[in-house]
Amino acid sequence: MAAGDPGVVELALRSGEDVVRLRQAVRERAVAAGFSLVDQTKIVTASSELGRNTIQHGGGGQAFVAFVVAGNKRGVRLEFVDKGPGIADIALALSDGFTTAGGLGLGLSGAKRLSDEFEIESKPGEGTRVAITRWKS
Amino acid sequence: MERIPILRMGRFLLVTIQVDMHDQLALALQDDLTQRIVKDRAKGVLMDISSLDVVDSFIGRMISNIANMSRVLDAHTVVVGMQPAVAITLVELGLDLAGVRTALNVEKGMALLQAFEE
């Protein structure tokens, strides 16, 4: 996904207020995609976790929100990109309870659990990209 | 920055969260509540989250912190009005609000707090 793709909403993630805006944007997309209330809540919550990670760990970045279609499936896909320090050990970062910021350590693993698809790319010094997709059930 | 109002009802404090909180607001609420528990010698805190349609791990931690801090200050905390979609999502998120009592609504929450007093 890239800014400028039709139908992709790009949001800057720098502050706590940006996470609030992100949740609203994701909610709007999920409603427009016809998600049930529970599915809306799951993807909005996942976006909040990942958005917060982008700010706290990535030093700020961008979120991209898009509709996706695959065959007769419709869904919402989110991408979080930062140019921060990157993650040295992705498996460790994905384990429940692992935190480097005094949190609960549930953000990355929780977002993965709340999504149908989850991708992560990160290397120390090269930033991080996380993408999640949720399909309308 | 606006702050979430804390109302006093006898020996209890009532907090109604009606806005989509950003992080600083949540942290300010934790601090404000702790100070008010001491200042008002409150025996209980009722947190009404019936307007929250999203509770993520940061807010979940805020709720846990408030419950823990009140306990240290000899007060009980009851969270009321959790929306069903939020409850389902919290379980899947893996957020375990252990030690946080919940009730369906403010009335039942008050009854629970009063029962602790007896």
Side-chain angles (χ1 to χ4, degrees):
Chain A
M1 280 196 286
D5 282 358
V8 178
V9 172
E10 178 187 352
L11 294 130
L13 292 174
R14 302 252 156 251
S15 69
E17 281 105 344
D18 290 338
V19 181
V20 173
R21 271 189 279 273
L22 169 68
R23 289 197 287 260
Q24 286 162 358
V26 174
R27 172 76 66 181
E28 276 165 36
R29 281 279 147 134
V31 167
F35 280 21
S36 69
L37 183 58
V38 171
D39 283 345
Q40 289 171 37
T41 306
K42 289 181 181 179
I43 193 170
V44 172
T45 306
S47 75
S48 197
E49 302 293 340
L50 295 176
R52 181 169 292 108
N53 276 3
T54 299
I55 293 172
Q56 275 186 353
H57 300 285
Q62 290 91 24
F64 298 91
V65 185
F67 287 121
V68 283
V69 175
N72 57 358
K73 286 197 297 181
R74 283 189 305 160
V76 175
R77 179 181 161 89
L78 309 177
E79 236 176 79
F80 296 81
V81 179
D82 69 66
K83 291 190 164 62
I87 302 171
D89 186 338
I90 291 182
L92 184 59
L94 275 170
S95 53
D96 276 348
F98 178 78
T99 177
T100 57
L104 289 177
L106 288 175
L108 212 48
S109 52
K112 184 175 179 200
R113 271 193 293 277
L114 289 171
S115 307
D116 292 323
E117 289 166 30
F118 176 93
E119 293 154 36
I120 180 166
E121 271 170 37
S122 187
K123 279 204 191 97
E126 290 181 21
T128 301
R129 188 186 72 85
V130 180
I132 57 172
T133 302
R134 187 155 189 101
W135 299 105
K136 173 172 150 63
S137 31
Chain B
M1 181 185 68
E2 81 272 39
R3 293 178 108 85
I4 295 183
I6 299 170
L7 302 180
R8 180 174 167 178
M9 287 164 61
R11 306 301 307 277
F12 306 132
L13 298 176
L14 172 63
V15 175
T16 302
I17 301 175
Q18 285 182 321
V19 294
D20 197 351
M21 281 188 290
H22 54 81
D23 295 3
Q24 294 94 314
L25 194 57
L27 291 172
L29 177 61
Q30 263 179 225
D31 286 347
D32 288 351
L33 256 177
T34 311
Q35 289 190 30
R36 285 290 298 273
I37 292 171
V38 173
K39 179 164 162 285
D40 294 354
R41 309 226 291 219
K43 298 308 287 175
V45 174
L46 206 59
M47 222 184 321
D48 179 356
I49 61 167
S50 55
S51 293
L52 283 186
D53 54 13
V54 172
V55 173
D56 63 11
S57 66
F58 186 86
I59 301 302
R61 186 157 51 102
M62 180 202 76
I63 293 173
S64 272
N65 285 348
I66 288 171
N68 289 337
M69 288 192 284
S70 342
R71 190 175 312 119
V72 166
L73 294 169
D74 195 26
H76 288 99
T77 303
V78 177
V79 169
V80 306
M82 188 180 295
Q83 292 182 12
V86 168
I88 291 168
T89 302
L90 283 186
V91 169
E92 196 158 315
L93 183 58
L95 195 65
D96 166 24
L97 290 176
V100 175
R101 289 207 172 71
T102 58
L104 215 49
N105 54 43
V106 172
E107 254 182 344
K108 292 189 150 79
M110 283 287 285
L112 198 56
L113 282 175
Q114 267 147 6
F116 287 136
E117 286 297 283
E118 284 141 25

